[in-house]
Amino acid sequence: MARYQYTPFDYKIPPELKGDAVAHTPVIIVGAGPIGLGAAIDLATHGIASTVVDDNNVVSVGSRAICWAKRSLEIFDRLGVADRMLEKGVTWQLGRVYRGDAQIYSFDLLPEDGHKFPAFINLQQYYVEQYLVERCADFPDLIDLRFKNRVLSVTQDDNGASAEIETPDGTYRLEGDYLLACDGANSRLRRHFGLDFEGRYFEERFLIADVEMQADFPSERWFWFTPTFHPGQSALLHKQPDNIYRIDLQLGPDADPEEEKKPENVIPRIEKVVDGRPFKLDWVSVYSFNCRRIDRFVHDRVIFVGDSAHVVSPFGARGGNGGMHDVDNLCWKLAHVISGKSGTALLESYNTERIHGADENIRNSSWTSRFMSPEPGVEMAFRNAVLGLAVDHPFARRLVNAGRLSVPCQLTDSGLNGHDDPAFEVPQQVGMVALDAPVTGTDGAPCWLMSQLGSTFTCLVVGDADLDGGIIPDDVAVVRIGKGGFGDVDGKVAERYGRGVYLIRPDQHVAARWAAPEPGDIAAALAQSIAQPPHAQAGA
């Protein structure tokens, strides 16, 4: 297949420059990458309008983020683009780790069945952005995409945020209740507000190359420590759609980025990796990476999302996936606040919960980075000893770190969590993302449990619990498994949930559970989940 064809998006003169009054939008979103576009769609599903501004008018150049984890695919499914991503992407769940040219071990990221989505797909970021832009068109009254609109400055007060925006036809001002900074790792808005990243900067440099070639490599993740084709360093290979392969090569801290990007230097390195197969360079970059974040993500009316708030190394696929977890956590809360269902205290839970998630990603990413680039001496001796033992001893394989891959963040200590009945002895826990399972509708058609959850608060009822008499608040949806509801295929729902009642948040996290809730229990848990104070809960 042909390489991706970059087609510029249409620039339109903003209405403010046609003589109209200064516009007001509920949410201004700065940045039209996967995070900003995903946020606009998520808000739209809650009925909240937004204006998305971006200084560019084309999808990201180069594959960039390519590994999309199961949890992100579940979020994309709720946003309406996962089926396209799954159809186009390369599905994989097996990884292989090598020392030299000998395999140390392999691992399976999704050994159990009964889930709609695989552990990972590989799909270039430009496809994801294209699908999201096209999905935005399904919300013409709620999403206003403005390309070639560059934010010059942002101010805020108690009533909202205001952005000064430059276009090819002049400058205008846009006002909003809130502004989301989704403008990436080099965020101008972060610098504008004087917010510094805190954490560790790694001086190690890596060459990243997309190459187009015909090859029979399987759909797996291959990682090498000190391969013969790249002595003394590490390497990574991923298969992507359109016969594009991602190759990462460690270069060392003293590598000159501009020299290393030159084709005459890149091509000989890639020739060794692909063992002489013919190929064409599609995209090349040299990078070093940080494992850092800003101190707070919520700054009154300005909220930082994705790489503008936190950055990690690419090994482990925690960057783009972590950003989508931000979107998933934030947008239902912001919709509740804007619509008056909750106070601003609910936004503080985004700050708390996603700092917890970012710190988890940073911690794992830092461990990976130190294992891949150990300091001379003790760290290097430990790394080499672990690699040597891992060939024959399974216990040592748990210590090999070639990228601890993205998994859902558990919010078991969240202040939004409600009752957790100790009677349950099942995998599903309060604070975790709900577990998927195959089910059948009342018409017998097969479907998936996760597709029935999300976008609103939902009571998942497994078994024959009696919930009559107004025990479920009017604004909470009900999904019943058994007793006239969905069928439990192969008993997976019962196996993962047991029998009882679960309150599921709009972001598909479990907020509370009961073997048999009493009147008022679900209403109280709902009030806690939207950060209502105790006196408000009492009147719920």
Side-chain angles (χ1 to χ4, degrees):
M1 296 183 63
R3 301 186 200 181
Y4 186 82
Q5 300 298 309
Y6 295 92
T7 303
F9 298 117
D10 291 337
Y11 161 75
K12 298 179 181 178
I13 301 176
E16 294 82 358
L17 293 175
K18 297 179 180 179
D20 296 344
V22 174
H24 179 276
T25 182
V27 182
I28 303 169
I29 299 175
V30 181
I35 308 308
L37 295 168
I41 297 167
D42 205 349
L43 288 169
T45 65
H46 294 285
I48 302 299
S50 65
T51 299
V52 184
V53 296
D54 194 285
D55 59 2
N56 207 337
N57 67 336
V58 71
V59 296
S60 61
V61 177
S63 61
R64 300 188 184 274
I66 65 167
C67 296
W68 302 101
K70 175 179 178 291
R71 176 60 196 147
S72 294
L73 292 171
E74 291 169 346
I75 297 169
F76 282 125
D77 194 36
R78 188 167 54 75
L79 302 184
V81 297
D83 286 344
R84 293 187 71 184
M85 292 175 63
L86 193 62
E87 180 180 4
K88 181 66 177 179
V90 173
T91 297
W92 68 277
Q93 65 187 62
L94 190 69
R96 300 184 187 275
V97 179
Y98 298 84
R99 184 190 187 192
D101 298 331
Q103 179 176 307
I104 299 175
Y105 69 98
S106 63
F107 55 89
D108 190 334
L109 293 167
L110 192 65
E112 65 175 10
D113 60 3
H115 297 267
K116 178 177 181 180
F117 292 106
F120 276 89
I121 67 167
N122 287 347
L123 181 66
Q124 297 93 319
Q125 182 172 320
Y126 43 72
Y127 278 117
V128 177
E129 292 181 12
Q130 174 192 328
Y131 299 162
L132 290 170
V133 167
E134 292 169 358
R135 174 63 171 151
C136 285
D138 294 334
F139 302 94
D141 298 327
L142 292 172
I143 300 177
D144 181 4
L145 288 182
R146 300 185 181 185
F147 297 102
K148 304 295 284 186
N149 279 237
R150 180 174 180 264
V151 174
L152 299 176
S153 63
V154 171
T155 58
Q156 63 174 322
D157 56 28
D158 292 341
N159 297 315
S162 177
E164 196 75 16
I165 301 172
E166 180 184 58
T167 77
D169 292 291
T171 301
Y172 69 98
R173 187 161 59 94
L174 182 64
E175 295 179 349
D177 297 330
Y178 287 89
L179 183 145
L180 306 187
C182 305
D183 54 339
N186 296 315
S187 170
R188 295 181 68 251
L189 290 180
R190 188 180 62 244
R191 296 194 300 272
H192 177 72
F193 283 94
L195 303 175
D196 294 327
F197 274 144
E198 298 177 0
R200 182 169 178 181
Y201 174 80
F202 291 85
E203 296 182 352
E204 191 69 45
R205 297 189 186 277
F206 287 81
L207 170 73
I208 183 172
D210 283 353
V211 302
E212 181 183 12
M213 67 178 177
Q214 296 286 341
D216 56 358
F217 298 148
S219 302
E220 299 172 352
R221 179 186 192 262
W222 291 354
F223 191 99
W224 292 267
F225 291 100
T226 64
T228 55
F229 59 75
H230 194 51
Q233 306 285 10
S234 60
L236 175 70
L237 183 143
H238 272 286
K239 184 178 182 179
Q240 303 177 72
D242 304 339
N243 294 320
I244 300 292
Y245 287 81
R246 158 72 62 82
I247 297 172
D248 290 74
L249 297 174
Q250 186 178 5
L251 298 176
D254 298 325
D256 182 331
E258 296 307 314
E259 283 296 315
E260 295 293 349
K261 284 191 296 185
K262 293 179 178 178
E264 60 266 30
N265 294 322
V266 174
I267 289 173
R269 293 186 185 277
I270 302 301
E271 286 176 338
K272 294 177 182 178
V273 179
V274 302
D275 196 24
R277 292 177 177 84
F279 67 89
K280 296 179 182 178
L281 287 178
D282 186 57
W283 175 64
V284 175
S285 182
V286 173
Y287 65 90
S288 55
F289 50 81
N290 307 314
C291 295
R292 304 194 289 175
R293 66 168 173 85
I294 56 178
D295 182 56
R296 287 184 54 81
F297 298 172
V298 178
H299 292 261
D300 299 321
R301 297 286 178 151
V302 177
I303 303 173
F304 290 81
V305 192
D307 283 354
S308 69
H310 47 76
V311 290
V312 293
S313 82
F315 301 101
R318 293 175 178 267
N321 289 295
M324 288 310 301
H325 297 176
D326 288 354
V327 170
D328 189 43
N329 188 286
L330 172 63
C331 288
W332 72 269
K333 297 174 180 179
L334 188 56
H336 266 65
V337 171
I338 290 174
S339 62
K341 295 179 182 178
S342 298
T344 56
L346 186 58
L347 294 179
E348 184 61 24
S349 73
Y350 164 74
N351 188 74
T352 302
E353 291 181 347
R354 288 313 301 156
I355 281 179
H356 166 69
D359 285 347
E360 180 179 292
N361 286 334
I362 287 170
R363 184 167 56 252
N364 279 278
S365 187
S366 296
W367 290 344
T368 297
S369 301
R370 291 184 65 180
F371 193 88
M372 291 174 54
S373 305
E375 296 288 340
V378 174
E379 284 190 7
M380 181 66 76
F382 172 78
R383 200 277 297 270
N384 291 341
V386 167
L387 292 175
L389 288 169
V391 176
D392 299 313
H393 300 284
F395 82 89
R397 295 169 189 168
R398 295 192 299 269
L399 301 175
V400 175
N401 196 330
R404 302 290 166 84
L405 291 156
S406 176
V407 294
C409 178
Q410 297 190 14
L411 304 175
T412 51
D413 295 326
S414 173
L416 302 187
N417 291 345
H419 182 74
D420 189 3
D421 198 314
F424 287 93
E425 296 182 359
V426 290
Q428 185 67 72
Q429 303 288 323
V430 170
M432 291 173 50
V433 175
L435 298 171
D436 203 4
V439 295
T440 54
T442 55
D443 59 355
C447 51
W448 294 95
L449 178 61
M450 287 293 275
S451 299
Q452 319 310 317
L453 309 174
S455 296
T456 188
F457 278 93
T458 304
C459 265
L460 172 64
V461 184
V462 186
D464 55 1
D466 184 4
L467 299 178
D468 295 331
I471 195 170
I472 299 180
D474 292 339
D475 53 352
V476 174
V478 179
V479 172
R480 184 179 286 276
I481 307 298
K483 196 180 179 181
F486 290 89
D488 185 5
V489 177
D490 299 328
K492 293 291 186 184
V493 179
E495 175 186 320
R496 292 167 183 171
Y497 290 82
R499 297 172 67 86
V501 178
Y502 288 75
L503 179 64
I504 313 293
R505 296 180 356 178
D507 58 8
Q508 300 172 320
H509 278 78
V510 175
R513 61 179 178 173
W514 306 264
E518 298 291 333
D521 284 351
I522 298 175
L526 174 63
Q528 185 167 347
S529 295
I530 58 176
Q532 286 187 354
H535 69 273
Q537 293 184 31

